[in-house]
Amino acid sequence: MNRSIYIVDDQPEVLEIAVAIVKSVLPGVVATGFNRPCEALAAIKANPPDLILSDQVMPEMSGSQLLEEARLVAPGTLRIMMSGFVPLDQLTVITSAHQYVAKPFGAPQLKKMLERTFAARDRVRDKKLQTVVASLRSLPSLPQVHHTLLSELENNRGASAAIGQMVAQDAGLSAKVLQLANSPLFGREYLVSSPAEAVFCLGTGMITAVVLSQSLFKHYRANSHPEFSFEQVWLHCWDTAALAQCYCREYELPRPTREEAFLAGLLHETGRLILIANFPDQYTAACEAARKAQSPLGPRLREVFPAAPCEIGAFLLDLWGMPDSVVASVSMLEHPERENATGFTAVSALYIADQIASRGTPPDPFPPEEWDAAYPRSIGCPEELKQWVRP
């Protein structure tokens, strides 16, 4: 069966071009255009599409409103927002959108986004899980923030200062950025005392990673659970990210890889956040089983849910358009050997960093998962866990 895409834009000429682009880059897709959001919503209710591509600013109904209504009546439908460029000082959260594409966009860019979005959903075999993950609401528009920051960097030599000012406005974010900049892992002999200086020292890639992860944790903080501590998980993610970045530097991996390993470390618990927010009772049952068996929580979660938390998190990161290496590192967190690598990679860095951090700053009160010495040995690295401990 052919995939279906509904495209919504109140400007007839823009809508015509968008429909033509979709039909040209994805010949097997049935693309239908709507000038009025209300007509699109009626069509969604009658025959839910696989994906909705909607403009944000429309007189009858905003794109955010339309996508929220679509989420309620067609939770399995993927949702992408189109809008103009958003300056750094006007970043907003677009609710109910899985991805964000800035206008104007070209055919190659849209083709890549649509193909990747469909591929992300297809990689999750369980249909019920597909629907649940796709129906999540009010996700921080991470791709929008990511796109805006990177665009600012490409077009403005003073972007570091602008990002430093943005970080300085958030006390919690400033503290984390300064903590990272002054970490002994970086071996600096002087004190970094301002957010602007921290941005300059760390690089905007790592700062962007911190901003993205902070947005994610703020979104899910309202979903409290007696078996879950946000502070504990955040500290675990922070230490995992710092260690992963440290290992990549020790093995002389290029800077982009180091930054992506850092981002993967900050976001590798995304799947756990999703499970708690959407399946609190099942999560509690897994915790009770782990406590009764005095075992790690991971195996009990895999017994209760159709996919491992890292696979669920990777699916969402894939929908958000995160870098391929970030998605791969998170998805293979429990089975890094599936990468079939012959040397140290970002996947290796995340697996080992998570193992070490789980023993120093555990994300939950249960025993850590067993260390697989065969894996580091297979990539020519030290196989004893204590050899990976850093001060």
Side-chain angles (χ1 to χ4, degrees):
M1 182 181 296
N2 290 337
R3 299 188 193 274
S4 59
I5 297 179
Y6 290 173
I7 305 171
V8 189
D9 198 304
D10 64 305
Q11 300 181 53
E13 63 281 3
V14 175
L15 178 63
E16 183 178 353
I17 293 173
V19 171
I21 289 177
V22 171
K23 289 182 176 179
S24 66
V25 299
L26 297 176
V29 166
V30 178
T32 306
F34 297 89
N35 280 126
R36 298 184 59 203
C38 288
E39 292 179 354
L41 183 58
I44 293 167
K45 292 178 179 179
N47 188 20
D50 293 292
L51 184 145
I52 304 169
L53 185 63
S54 175
D55 186 32
Q56 165 65 359
V57 181
M58 296 180 285
E60 189 177 67
M61 178 189 297
S62 70
S64 298
Q65 291 174 311
L66 173 62
L67 294 188
E68 170 58 10
E69 291 292 330
R71 184 195 70 84
L72 296 174
V73 299
T77 295
L78 299 169
R79 303 174 298 276
I80 298 180
M81 180 75 70
M82 301 183 291
S83 189
F85 179 76
V86 182
L88 263 179
D89 59 355
Q90 297 178 22
L91 285 177
T92 59
V93 173
I94 294 182
T95 62
S96 300
H98 293 122
Q99 283 237 41
Y100 169 93
V101 58
K103 296 163 60 177
F105 50 80
Q109 177 189 1
L110 185 61
K111 179 177 186 291
K112 182 178 180 181
M113 174 177 286
L114 294 176
E115 288 181 338
R116 178 167 181 171
T117 302
F118 283 132
R121 188 177 67 174
D122 291 345
R123 276 192 283 273
V124 177
R125 290 166 291 182
D126 185 89
K127 294 295 183 182
K128 182 179 179 181
L129 184 60
Q130 283 185 10
T131 300
V132 170
V133 177
S135 66
L136 296 175
R137 182 191 179 278
S138 189
L139 296 172
S141 187
L142 301 183
Q144 179 189 3
V145 175
H146 193 255
H147 169 82
T148 303
L149 292 177
L150 293 183
S151 296
E152 187 78 7
L153 291 176
E154 292 174 358
N155 300 318
N156 180 3
R157 293 183 178 180
S160 292
I163 295 173
Q165 292 175 1
M166 183 180 71
V167 170
Q169 293 173 4
D170 186 318
L173 186 59
S174 295
K176 285 298 180 184
V177 167
L178 289 170
Q179 176 188 354
L180 179 62
N182 288 295
S183 168
L185 292 173
F186 291 91
R188 291 194 176 86
E189 298 180 355
Y190 60 92
L191 178 67
V192 178
S193 58
S194 72
E197 186 180 4
V199 171
F200 179 79
C201 294
L202 296 174
T204 50
M206 293 187 69
I207 298 299
T208 301
V210 176
V211 172
L212 297 182
S213 61
Q214 285 278 91
S215 298
L216 178 66
F217 273 78
K218 284 181 180 179
H219 169 72
Y220 281 110
R221 183 172 290 276
N223 297 295
S224 60
H225 192 282
E227 301 282 1
F228 182 85
S229 166
F230 275 92
E231 289 71 20
Q232 191 174 354
V233 172
W234 170 249
L235 181 60
H236 168 75
C237 290
W238 188 261
D239 285 354
T240 301
L243 280 169
Q245 199 269 353
C246 175
Y247 297 148
C248 287
R249 188 172 62 251
E250 289 178 3
Y251 278 85
E252 299 182 343
L253 299 185
R255 180 164 183 167
T257 302
R258 300 199 303 266
E259 293 180 346
E260 289 171 0
F262 183 80
L263 176 57
L266 289 178
L267 299 179
H268 78 281
E269 289 284 1
T270 299
R272 189 194 297 252
L273 299 177
I274 294 171
L275 293 179
I276 291 173
N278 291 273
F279 309 104
D281 294 339
Q282 292 94 320
Y283 186 86
T284 298
C287 290
E288 291 175 350
R291 187 173 293 108
K292 184 177 180 180
Q294 296 183 336
S295 71
L297 180 59
R300 306 288 81 83
L301 290 173
R302 292 190 289 275
E303 292 172 356
V304 173
F305 297 102
C310 61
E311 294 173 325
I312 299 171
F315 169 67
L316 196 59
L317 297 179
D318 210 358
L319 280 185
W320 280 337
M322 292 294 101
D324 291 340
S325 68
V326 173
V327 176
S329 296
V330 174
S331 67
M332 289 186 277
L333 179 60
E334 296 185 2
H335 295 284
E337 73 280 357
R338 292 176 180 173
E339 185 186 20
N340 294 319
T342 56
F344 192 86
T345 66
V347 172
S348 315
L350 181 61
Y351 170 74
I352 297 171
D354 178 60
Q355 285 279 339
I356 295 297
S358 292
R359 287 156 173 80
T361 52
D364 53 56
F366 304 100
E369 299 231 19
E370 185 178 351
W371 167 252
D372 180 12
Y375 171 66
R377 189 188 313 127
S378 70
I379 57 174
C381 294
E383 61 184 72
E384 292 187 26
L385 190 64
K386 63 182 181 181
Q387 294 176 280
W388 293 97
V389 176
R390 299 293 180 270

